[in-house]
Amino acid sequence: MAKTNPPDGGGSDANDNTFVRHRVALPPKEGLLKEFKSVVQETFFHDAPLRDFKDQTTSKKVLLGIQAVFPIIGWAREYNLRKLRGDVISGLTIASLCIPQDIGYAKLANLDPKYGLYSSFVPPLVYAGMGSSRDIAIGPVAVVSLLLGTLCQAVIDPNEHPAEYLRLAFTATFFAGVFEAALGFLRLGFLIDFLSHAAVVGFMGGAAITIALQQLKGFLGIKKFTKKSDIVSVMQSVFAAARHGWNWQTIVIGASFLTFLLVAKYIGKKNKKLFWVPAIAPLISVVISTFFVFITRADKQGVQIVRHIDQGINPISVSKLYFSGKYFTEGIRIGAVAGMVALTEAVAIARTFAAMKDYQIDGNKEMIALGTMNVVGSLTSCYIATGSFSRSAVNFMAGCHTAVSNIVMAIVVALTLVFITPLFKYTPNAILAAIIISAVLGLIDIDAAILIWKIDKLDFAACMGAFFGVVFVSVEIGLLISVVISFAKILLQVTRPRTAVLGKLPRTNVYRNTLQYPDAAKIPGILIIRVDSAIYFSNSNYVRERILRWLREEEEKAKAADMPAIKFLIIEMSPVTDIDTSGIHSIEELHKSLEKRQIQLIIANPGPVVIQKLHASKFADEIGEENIFLSVGDAVAICSPKLAEQQA
């Protein structure tokens, strides 16, 4: 370390009143293998998943390994009657909600109602054994059902070729599960984070509008309805049928029970203790409307009903999957898209409720559990299942403790399949439409959209792009638009990082952005610039050109104010987490450009990765180690006397 007399603005030692300069330390050099291991560990194993295995016996390691795959083994040892009571109540409550929803959601996927019930039997049982969330409720959801139905319908017409359509749906479910499980097994869960919160808000809102519009067919009793999902086609179909295609009895049933459902939801929202009111309202609506149609034989008056639902639990469907032919690749494509959306929704729900109860979930384990349940589900006549926010919220408020609530729900659904399905024969389609409309209205989050607008306009563009893409074109186009805009935002932020001119706050040795702190004073003859990003090939030229532009602007201001010319350019590099070859080359070009202007380049506070690469490239020798400082304050403290000497 070097000691000099303390110049103005420099640091000092309280005892001897001398300025102390600490040189930037070069981190210990790591071997190639160790460096590679460190990168892999931070990228894929940042949560240290094997930490519990350390210093354990072989038998204990085997038990921990089994427990890692089946978390139920861990919490089952601490299970008791108090938890069972809460889980049974929660399971019964969400079962009353899921049964009518499942019948309606299956129609969104262009499948028979029984497949919705099948998908709430096997997948929840698999998830209960493998999942790490205590609160998530598993089953079909509106958005994924619509997405699956839209994508599959574009390949096979479900009315003309129902058997082939069903096989494609099962195949897509299988590959959705494979895709989800592979992401978790390969620890690539961070990929779903590329679908931003703003994009999800817009996509969900647009999908909710689209789903609600699709329900106008059942709500109004229209027989001939468009197969397209965009708002223009749907409204044209609705108005075209207005004169002779609407059924007034159907409208009365739908409107009456939709009002009842919305009132029940309002009551539950106003009083959290009455959460069970909106939870059982759909089942009550189904029972009452079915009884009403049966005794009045309203189906003879044009009221469309569910008709027959096969009894019995899930039949095996292994032989129905496509593993060759043209539908095989379509199944992979549809499964990947639908699986991505299902995974994003489930992980977001699991994280939300885990944060509310202050416990941790393992995202990669969740993906493996969700993927496994969909693979098993596809082999047992289920279509894509995931976490439902509405049912998970009810599960949470009902006092669930573990995933046993999913087991209870699955048992109730199985009993329904075995004994009760004939009773749904006279259930009017209008009541299913009303249940779906009331359920999806909660997906439209206006408050979140307003908040996104206030915080980030690019995020809002992604949100609105997804929303209008879904509403006016199609679900897959809306999803594509949201992903494209999200990636465009990432590219924009990477290629155009922020830079700022720093000044010294009064009576401190702290240097901050002069735009944020107008009283931060610039040092005459010294320009301090902070780069707020890693410097890579994608932004290195921009960073160099932006710094030179800052320099030109400050030189013009200095000349106009008759201030000393800029002689030192200090780059504050604490936010620069990394730099690549292009970045170093760009800094070298900047250095040469400054030398021609007789301006000295100074580097302040480079991180360990950056300083190591500066030394490896020999740029540290080129600029001189005496021009690399631990802080901006140290750099100014050394540069100020030199500047005074030059001006003398």
Side-chain angles (χ1 to χ4, degrees):
M1 84 177 49
K3 292 185 178 181
T4 64
N5 291 328
D8 181 36
S12 64
D13 187 286
N15 296 324
D16 56 11
N17 199 34
T18 57
F19 174 75
V20 180
R21 176 185 174 186
H22 294 272
R23 293 195 179 279
V24 177
L26 189 64
K29 190 172 183 180
E30 294 182 342
L32 180 61
L33 183 61
K34 190 174 181 181
E35 185 177 348
F36 177 75
K37 180 181 177 182
S38 177
V39 171
V40 170
Q41 185 172 347
E42 286 303 313
T43 303
F44 300 103
F45 304 98
H46 61 280
D47 54 346
L50 300 178
R51 62 186 180 279
D52 294 334
F53 291 80
K54 191 176 181 180
D55 301 326
Q56 299 290 346
T57 61
T58 303
S59 58
K60 182 67 173 177
K61 287 180 179 178
V62 171
L63 180 61
L64 287 172
I66 297 173
Q67 187 175 314
V69 180
F70 302 100
I72 189 173
I73 296 174
W75 54 260
R77 293 195 296 266
E78 302 174 357
Y79 204 68
N80 53 47
L81 287 176
R82 182 183 64 82
K83 291 181 178 180
L84 177 62
R85 184 170 62 252
D87 287 337
V88 168
I89 294 172
S90 300
L92 293 174
T93 307
I94 58 176
S96 68
L97 178 61
C98 85
I99 290 171
Q101 283 186 347
D102 290 345
I103 295 173
Y105 292 162
K107 287 182 171 292
L108 279 177
N110 301 312
L111 297 169
D112 288 339
K114 62 184 178 182
Y115 294 108
L117 295 172
Y118 290 163
S119 302
S120 278
F121 173 47
V122 173
L125 292 177
V126 176
Y127 181 85
M130 299 184 67
S132 59
S133 173
R134 306 171 193 168
D135 303 281
I136 195 170
I138 297 296
V141 297
V143 174
V144 177
S145 299
L146 175 67
L147 182 60
L148 180 68
T150 303
L151 295 175
C152 289
Q153 185 176 255
V155 179
I156 302 175
D157 190 313
N159 298 316
E160 295 181 5
H161 306 285
E164 289 82 358
Y165 181 89
L166 181 63
R167 293 185 65 184
L168 180 61
F170 289 158
T171 304
T173 301
F174 176 83
F175 285 107
V178 170
F179 175 76
E180 292 170 338
L183 283 181
F185 183 77
L186 299 174
R187 305 190 68 81
L188 297 174
F190 60 85
L191 292 178
I192 67 171
D193 293 331
F194 282 99
L195 197 59
S196 68
H197 171 69
V200 171
V201 168
F203 176 76
M204 290 295 186
I209 298 292
T210 301
I211 291 167
L213 291 173
Q214 290 284 315
Q215 300 317 299
L216 292 177
K217 177 185 178 183
F219 195 85
L220 301 175
I222 301 173
K223 293 182 179 179
K224 292 184 179 180
F225 202 72
T226 180
K227 295 179 181 179
K228 297 179 180 179
S229 62
D230 63 282
I231 188 172
V232 175
S233 299
V234 170
M235 296 313 296
Q236 284 178 344
S237 185
V238 169
F239 289 124
R243 180 168 293 184
H244 302 293
W246 294 10
N247 181 274
W248 71 267
Q249 295 97 328
T250 300
I251 296 173
V252 170
I253 294 171
S256 301
F257 283 100
L258 178 60
T259 303
F260 168 67
L261 292 167
L262 293 177
V263 170
K265 184 175 286 189
Y266 178 79
I267 292 172
K269 191 174 181 180
K270 280 293 183 182
N271 189 342
K272 299 298 182 184
K273 292 182 180 180
L274 298 177
F275 67 88
W276 52 271
V277 173
I280 65 170
L283 188 58
I284 292 174
S285 301
V286 168
V287 172
I288 295 175
S289 62
T290 302
F291 179 71
F292 173 78
V293 171
F294 175 72
I295 62 173
T296 62
R297 294 314 306 264
D299 57 307
K300 302 290 187 181
Q301 306 299 318
V303 175
Q304 298 176 28
I305 57 176
V306 171
R307 300 192 184 280
H308 178 70
I309 299 179
D310 293 338
Q311 283 183 273
I313 59 174
N314 307 35
I316 301 300
S317 56
V318 180
S319 61
K320 294 184 178 181
L321 299 181
Y322 286 115
F323 288 111
S324 61
K326 63 178 181 178
Y327 296 138
F328 171 66
T329 54
E330 290 293 341
I332 295 175
R333 179 183 64 84
I334 295 170
V337 175
M340 186 74 164
V341 175
L343 197 58
T344 302
E345 185 171 358
V347 172
I349 292 169
R351 286 174 176 169
T352 298
F353 288 104
M356 291 171 69
K357 282 192 176 179
D358 194 26
Y359 68 90
Q360 296 292 322
I361 65 162
D362 188 321
N364 290 296
K365 286 182 183 178
E366 282 294 289
M367 293 172 197
I368 293 174
L370 293 164
T372 304
M373 78 179 191
N374 276 319
V375 169
V376 175
S378 69
L379 305 178
T380 52
S381 301
C382 303
Y383 75 95
I384 300 174
T386 187
S388 165
F389 187 81
S390 59
R391 274 174 261 169
S392 298
V394 170
N395 197 31
F396 173 82
M397 290 186 287
C400 71
H401 295 282
T402 67
V404 168
S405 61
N406 275 296
I407 298 176
V408 174
M409 178 192 72
I411 292 172
V412 174
V413 171
L415 294 174
T416 301
L417 283 165
V418 173
F419 299 108
I420 305 177
T421 48
L423 300 180
F424 290 116
K425 178 180 179 180
Y426 290 97
T427 299
N429 288 340
I431 195 63
L432 299 178
I435 289 171
I436 292 174
I437 291 172
S438 67
V440 299
L441 288 179
L443 297 177
I444 305 173
D445 197 339
I446 297 175
D447 291 337
I450 293 173
L451 183 62
I452 290 168
W453 166 260
K454 291 178 180 178
I455 294 174
D456 193 308
K457 301 302 183 287
L458 279 176
D459 265 355
F460 185 75
C463 179
M464 289 298 99
F467 178 82
F468 289 116
V470 171
V471 171
F472 285 99
V473 188
S474 65
V475 177
E476 61 267 34
I477 293 298
L479 184 62
L480 179 62
I481 290 173
S482 65
V483 171
V484 168
I485 295 178
S486 295
F487 269 100
K489 181 188 174 185
I490 294 172
L491 289 174
L492 185 62
Q493 291 176 334
V494 170
T495 57
R496 294 294 182 267
R498 297 181 186 275
T499 57
V501 173
L502 306 186
K504 183 173 177 288
L505 293 177
R507 297 180 298 279
T508 71
N509 201 32
V510 177
Y511 292 82
R512 290 293 181 267
N513 189 339
T514 55
L515 290 178
Q516 184 179 1
Y517 299 92
D519 57 338
K522 299 175 184 176
I523 310 300
I526 301 175
L527 176 59
I528 308 167
I529 296 177
R530 187 183 66 221
V531 179
D532 293 335
S533 168
I535 304 176
Y536 293 131
F537 66 93
S538 58
N539 62 22
S540 57
N541 286 329
Y542 170 80
V543 169
R544 175 176 54 81
E545 291 170 2
R546 190 66 184 92
I547 290 174
L548 288 174
R549 199 174 101 201
W550 278 122
L551 179 61
R552 286 195 301 270
E553 291 173 358
E554 292 302 318
E555 284 181 328
E556 290 171 1
K557 290 178 183 178
K559 187 176 181 180
D562 198 23
M563 298 290 288
I566 304 296
K567 292 298 181 183
F568 294 94
L569 174 63
I570 301 174
I571 302 180
E572 154 70 302
M573 300 190 76
S574 55
V576 181
T577 55
D578 201 357
I579 188 169
D580 66 1
T581 308
S582 298
I584 292 174
H585 181 65
S586 186
I587 297 296
E588 288 175 342
E589 290 181 347
L590 174 65
H591 177 53
K592 292 174 182 177
S593 178
L594 293 175
E595 280 186 327
K596 293 177 182 178
R597 303 185 187 196
Q598 296 183 335
I599 298 174
Q600 178 61 55
L601 177 63
I602 304 291
I603 302 295
N605 198 17
V609 175
V610 174
I611 190 63
Q612 193 173 45
K613 292 184 178 181
L614 291 179
H615 276 277
S617 66
K618 305 299 182 183
F619 180 69
D621 298 331
E622 181 181 337
I623 192 176
E625 286 195 42
E626 68 277 6
N627 291 314
I628 302 177
F629 292 85
L630 188 65
S631 69
V632 173
D634 284 358
V636 172
I638 297 299
C639 293
S640 292
K642 293 181 179 179
L643 187 63
E645 290 176 6
Q646 292 176 7
Q647 294 171 352

